[in-house]
Structures are given as structure tokens and as C-alpha cells.
Amino acid sequence: MNKRQTRLFAIGSTLVASLVFIGLTIDSHRQFPKLTNAENITPAVTRGNDVWHANNCINCHTLFGEGAYYAPDLTKITQLRGAPYLKAFLQDPERFYDEQRHRRLMPNPDLKDEEIDDLIAFFGWVANVDNQGWPPRPILVTGSSIPGTSLTIAQQDASGPGRTQEQMPPGARPVTGDEDPIALGEALFRTASPACNACHSIAPGVNMAGPTLADLVTRAQQTIASPEYQGEAETVEDFIRESIVAPSAYLHPGDMYSAGGVSFMPTSYGESLTDEQIDQLVQYLASFK
């Protein structure tokens, strides 16, 4: 290739690369409104964005992986914690985390109720932006996990290419729909939105944003028999179902779980899950004797 051919090749390659870059840029801008749900940017969302920046939340937290890595990424926080919980947390963080036990404590931002509502609206908009899985491994709030990364390293290795479903560890096997209701309920426990395991542990004595579900059956029986119980459930299964679709019917003792007679547990499961799915979840939870 002589000098003239080399020059023409360089110019041609540059033009092609530039055209591809411009095309991709135009296509990205074309998709931004859909990817970001731009039509849902309400005045409250805009004000919440102002609250986020005015209080320098980015000095500790990240959104879309941008910010400091001292505290959890909040990109999907409204899919992991309900609005009542977030509001109570922002009003008094120390009520939820102890500096000696957790080694860190979020300072009280001293926000007004209106500012908190706007900030939660901003988080709600952010959570529905199609960030296409970015960042891949953010720092998450206690109990939550990125889909596919809740396995141990050994499980991830065992579920790699070339493995049959029978060779995979139970936690890595895909749900086909042919499993028994308890297995399907376990899958829902991890994949419902918000995911149940983002707030509840199944280990005895391990309370997170919600109380542990270990010994749930025994505690449900004691609650139903208690004169303080004002719900409508007569069986353990009814109590679990009531707790899922109407969580404020019974308020678990503890300031971390409710405020003003309202449970922090999201009330959306009755709408986001079908009756069949709720039955599967109930059967799974009823297995915690």
C-alpha cells in the first residue's frame, strides 16, 4: 500500500467511524425519552432532584454508579423499600441504624416532610429508568441482590456454560413452572418487586428492614390467639396472606416496622401478584415451622 492509498484508507476509516458514532449518538438521543420515562418527570421529581443535590447526597451514595461508594447505591431503592419506610428513615435515620452495631450512621438531613416526599418521588422516577443493568455490582442496601448475583462463587461456577439443569445447585436452577407451589413461592420470594428477601431474612434472630420469617408459623399462631390481634385471619395461611395483601392489619412490634398505625411493608403485592402467585408465596412461607 503506497502513501496515497494509506492516506485514502485513513480518511475513509475516519469518515466511516464518524458516521457510525454520529448514528449511534442520534439513536441514543432518540431513545432517551423512552428509556428515561421523560413523561414522568413531574414537578415533584424535579424538586426531589434539587433536594438530592442541595444536601450533597452524592458524597456518600451513588445513582447509576455515579457518586461516592461509602453508602448504598440508591438507583433502585424504591423497588427495595416502600415509601412509608423511606419517609420514616429520612425523618430519623438513627432509629434504624445504630452506629456502634452497624459501624456507620447516616446523618439526619433535617428535611421537611415536603422535601422528603419530593425526594422519594425523584427516587421513584430514577428506579424506573432503563439503566440496562448498570452499574453491574453496586453497593446495595442490606438483604438485596442483583438478579443472578445472589449465588455463591461456587454456585456461579457450577451454573456456568456446559452444565445441565440437574448439575446446577438448587439456587441456580431456572424456574420452569412445573415445580411444586413451595418451590415457586421460594422463587417469588426472591424475584417479586420489591423482593421479599430485600427486607426479610429467613434466619432466626436476623431482623433487617422487616422481621425475620424464621418460626413464622409459630409466631402467627401466637398472634392469632392473642387478644391484641384485630385482623380477620383464623388460620396461619390466612394470616400470612393478610400480611401480604394488607400488611397494616397487624403491626409487628418495633419502631422499625411501622409508624402512625401504618406498616412499612409495601401494599402493592395484592395488585402486582396474581392470586395463584400469592397462594404459592403463602405455601412457601407456611413452611417456616
Side-chain angles (χ1 to χ4, degrees), residues 82-84 194 243-248 262-272:
S243 299
I244 295 172
V245 300
S248 295
V262 178
S263 172
F264 291 153
M265 180 168 165
T267 59
S268 57
Y269 294 115
E271 298 177 358
S272 62

Side-chain angles (χ1 to χ4, degrees), residues 147-224:
T149 63
S150 58
L151 310 178
T152 64
I153 297 299
Q155 286 178 324
Q156 292 181 44
D157 289 343
S159 58
R163 297 276 182 167
T164 65
Q165 181 168 323
E166 289 71 23
Q167 292 174 315
M168 294 181 184
R173 297 173 188 167
V175 175
T176 64
D178 297 328
E179 292 82 0
D180 62 61
I182 292 179
L184 294 173
E186 180 183 9
L188 280 169
F189 185 78
R190 292 181 280 106
T191 60
S193 181
C196 307
N197 64 351
C199 294
H200 294 283
S201 165
I202 59 174
V206 181
N207 297 311
M208 301 194 304
T212 177
L213 299 179
D215 301 325
L216 176 59
V217 170
T218 300
R219 287 188 285 115
Q221 292 170 337
Q222 294 172 345
T223 299
I224 294 172

Side-chain angles (χ1 to χ4, degrees), residues 36-38 40-41 45 64 78 120-129:
T36 62
N37 299 304
N40 294 327
I41 302 178
V45 171
F64 305 117
T78 58
I120 293 174
F122 172 63
F123 287 150
W125 173 76
V126 168
N128 288 293
V129 169

Side-chain angles (χ1 to χ4, degrees), residues 24-261:
L24 291 174
T25 301
I26 293 174
D27 183 63
S28 295
H29 281 273
R30 180 182 62 81
Q31 296 188 57
F32 281 162
K34 179 180 178 181
L35 294 174
T36 62
N37 299 304
E39 70 278 5
N40 294 327
I41 302 178
T42 63
V45 171
T46 302
R47 293 194 300 268
N49 181 40
D50 294 338
V51 173
W52 169 267
H53 289 292
N55 288 272
N56 295 315
C57 304
I58 202 170
N59 286 352
C60 293
H61 295 280
T62 55
L63 288 179
F64 305 117
E66 293 292 328
Y69 285 84
Y70 180 74
D73 182 282
L74 301 180
T75 305
K76 301 294 184 182
I77 189 62
T78 58
Q79 296 180 7
L80 302 170
R81 301 286 189 266
Y85 176 95
L86 292 175
K87 185 162 187 173
F89 182 91
L90 289 167
Q91 288 173 335
D92 186 8
E94 192 172 0
R95 172 179 162 194
F96 294 82
Y97 286 94
D98 177 79
E99 189 169 14
Q100 292 183 345
R101 187 157 58 95
H102 297 96
R103 293 188 168 185
R104 61 182 63 183
L105 178 66
M106 175 174 162
N108 193 324
D110 293 321
L111 299 177
K112 300 177 182 178
D113 286 347
E114 297 80 6
E115 292 177 315
I116 292 175
D117 291 338
D118 292 339
L119 188 57
I120 293 174
F122 172 63
F123 287 150
W125 173 76
V126 168
N128 288 293
V129 169
D130 184 359
N131 58 333
Q132 300 181 3
W134 185 264
R137 290 180 181 270
I139 300 174
L140 299 176
V141 293
T142 304
S144 59
S145 64
I146 306 171
T149 63
S150 58
L151 310 178
T152 64
I153 297 299
Q155 286 178 324
Q156 292 181 44
D157 289 343
S159 58
R163 297 276 182 167
T164 65
Q165 181 168 323
E166 289 71 23
Q167 292 174 315
M168 294 181 184
R173 297 173 188 167
V175 175
T176 64
D178 297 328
E179 292 82 0
D180 62 61
I182 292 179
L184 294 173
E186 180 183 9
L188 280 169
F189 185 78
R190 292 181 280 106
T191 60
S193 181
C196 307
N197 64 351
C199 294
H200 294 283
S201 165
I202 59 174
V206 181
N207 297 311
M208 301 194 304
T212 177
L213 299 179
D215 301 325
L216 176 59
V217 170
T218 300
R219 287 188 285 115
Q221 292 170 337
Q222 294 172 345
T223 299
I224 294 172
S226 170
E228 287 80 21
Y229 174 64
Q230 301 297 317
E232 299 180 357
E234 297 182 356
T235 66
V236 169
E237 289 76 11
D238 289 343
F239 178 82
I240 296 174
R241 173 179 283 274
E242 182 181 68
S243 299
I244 295 172
V245 300
S248 295
Y250 170 73
L251 301 178
H252 191 281
D255 290 339
M256 285 184 60
Y257 310 129
S258 64

